[in-house]
Amino acid sequence: MSSEINPPANDQTSAPDEAFLHECLYFTTNRLSRAISRIADDAFATTGLAPAYGYLIRLVIGKPGITQKELSEKLYITPSTLTRFIDKLEGKRLVERQVQGKTVLVYPTDKAFELEQPIRQASKKLKETYEAILGKEAAALLTASVENAGVQLE
Amino acid sequence: MSSEINPPANDQTSAPDEAFLHECLYFTTNRLSRAISRIADDAFATTGLAPAYGYLIRLVIGKPGITQKELSEKLYITPSTLTRFIDKLEGKRLVERQVQGKTVLVYPTDKAFELEQPIRQASKKLKETYEAILGKEAAALLTASVENAGVQLE
DNA sequence: CATTGTATTTTGTATGTACAACTAAAATAA
DNA sequence: TTATTTTAGTTGTACATACAAAATACAATG
């Protein structure tokens, strides 16, 4: 048992070195992602939808007949994931597919329009919740940095 | 550009308003999380492990006999998720469980020690990769903000 | 000591997500 | 026009992750 590389003196009582976790963007981002997802789930509970579906529906309402390709690009999820999402929303009669050659156009149903306001409400509540904790200013800054990093790393 | 709330005129040809996505911390964080996870997967490919397992092993090596509870707290994942992770690592003979009453102590195997350096190497490569894209300084700032937000939102 | 409560882990089940392989349609080249 | 390549979407499979409920063990107290 050689000890060539001796990490900072580790007296049994203190925690071992965990800096490598907190200095790692992969780790901290996933942690934040889980935390904010919990908050988002709560905020969207009233809509009966997971937050991701709420955003999808907003896009479909914003552009009825939008293709799945466009949706997957805007949401930054893969086409296969999008297929499953649309399957689910179709099952709930919230959207309809219209096959057009090799592409699929997605349309909102009346039921989707009924959900529009509740979804907006939930989005607002979500934002208010994290702004209350982080501060409005800080939240905006963080969101911009995270957005920017996402763009660059993609 | 003093733009408070002014939904840009929506002439049919341009994209519908998607600001709500890019201004939302939930959305941007999940997007970043997917992007950085892809990079991390690549960096860790040489180890034969997903990045999360690499970090887990580092913690176990840092404190042989660490309990599952401690691990789940340090990694911010739920106990049930941790159980599955340990199951998998045990299956690969990288850790061993030692039941101690109602708790479970986790120990690294020799095989785990052999992986220690490759894992460190992969972590390093991961960091270098995103630092090369974001800039060292910017990456550090972002990581700190994200870490901080994660702490506050938990 | 028996009961009742509490903490740790596991298991069943469900969801989000991806990749690879596949199908079908459209576009392009020969 | 036919053959080839590219594009859009789907399906099979796998993994990370969570929650709720069950199993287990320990602790406290009457």
Side-chain angles (χ1 to χ4, degrees):
Chain A
M1 182 127 344
S2 64
S3 52
E4 356 131 2
I5 315 168
N6 235 327
N10 191 344
D11 61 278
Q12 307 315 57
T13 65
S14 83
D17 190 10
E18 292 149 23
F20 73 93
L21 289 177
H22 305 286
E23 286 166 4
C24 173
L25 185 59
Y26 162 79
F27 180 78
T28 56
T29 300
N30 281 327
R31 179 183 173 185
L32 177 59
S33 167
R34 291 193 289 273
I36 189 85
S37 291
R38 269 188 288 265
I39 294 173
D41 287 346
D42 285 354
F44 276 75
T46 54
T47 67
L49 291 175
Y53 293 93
Y55 289 156
L56 210 176
I57 288 180
R58 281 181 78 168
L59 288 177
V60 174
I61 286 179
K63 183 173 180 183
I66 189 171
T67 65
Q68 290 192 189
K69 181 166 206 317
E70 268 182 286
L71 284 169
S72 75
E73 282 168 0
K74 289 192 199 308
L75 294 171
Y76 303 95
I77 56 182
T78 61
S80 69
T81 299
L82 198 86
T83 292
R84 322 281 174 162
F85 279 19
I86 301 290
D87 286 350
K88 216 165 253 193
L89 288 180
E90 215 179 19
K92 295 190 180 192
R93 314 284 152 187
L94 285 167
V95 304
E96 278 166 9
R97 279 184 166 103
Q98 189 190 304
V99 178
Q100 188 94 150
K102 73 180 167 188
T103 75
V104 175
L105 310 183
V106 184
Y107 292 92
T109 63
D110 291 351
K111 209 173 155 196
F113 284 109
E114 281 167 26
L115 265 185
E116 190 179 6
Q117 285 316 309
I119 288 170
R120 277 177 194 277
Q121 214 41 50
S123 299
K124 198 174 160 200
K125 185 171 159 200
L126 163 57
K127 177 165 274 196
E128 283 166 0
T129 302
Y130 68 69
E131 281 179 344
I133 297 171
L134 301 176
K136 211 175 153 96
E137 191 78 8
L141 282 174
L142 178 64
T143 304
S145 316
V146 168
E147 158 85 359
N148 177 57
V151 171
Q152 289 186 72
L153 293 180
E154 227 141 44
Chain B
M1 27 185 143
S2 58
S3 55
E4 181 57 338
I5 320 165
N6 208 348
N10 193 345
D11 62 278
Q12 305 313 53
T13 65
S14 84
D17 189 10
E18 293 148 21
F20 72 93
L21 289 177
H22 305 286
E23 287 166 2
C24 174
L25 185 60
Y26 162 79
F27 181 78
T28 57
T29 299
N30 281 328
R31 180 183 173 185
L32 176 59
S33 166
R34 290 193 289 274
I36 189 86
S37 291
R38 268 188 289 263
I39 294 173
D41 287 346
D42 285 354
F44 275 76
T46 54
T47 67
L49 291 174
Y53 293 91
Y55 289 155
L56 210 176
I57 288 181
R58 281 181 77 168
L59 288 178
V60 173
I61 286 179
K63 183 173 178 183
I66 189 171
T67 66
Q68 290 192 187
K69 182 167 204 316
E70 267 183 286
L71 284 169
S72 76
E73 281 167 2
K74 289 194 199 306
L75 294 171
Y76 303 95
I77 56 181
T78 61
S80 69
T81 298
L82 198 87
T83 291
R84 322 280 176 166
F85 279 19
I86 300 291
D87 286 350
K88 217 165 251 193
L89 288 180
E90 215 180 18
K92 296 190 179 193
R93 315 283 152 187
L94 285 167
V95 303
E96 278 167 9
R97 279 183 165 102
Q98 190 190 304
V99 178
Q100 188 92 153
K102 70 183 168 186
T103 76
V104 175
L105 309 184
V106 183
Y107 292 92
T109 63
D110 291 349
K111 211 172 153 196
F113 284 109
E114 282 167 27
L115 265 185
E116 190 178 6
Q117 285 316 311
I119 288 169
R120 277 178 194 274
Q121 214 42 48
S123 300
K124 198 175 160 198
K125 185 171 159 200
L126 163 58
K127 177 165 273 194
E128 283 168 359
T129 302
Y130 67 70
E131 281 180 343
I133 298 171
L134 302 176
K136 212 174 152 96
E137 190 77 8
L141 282 173
L142 178 63
T143 304
S145 316
V146 168
E147 157 86 359
N148 177 57
V151 170
Q152 288 186 74
L153 293 179
E154 227 139 44

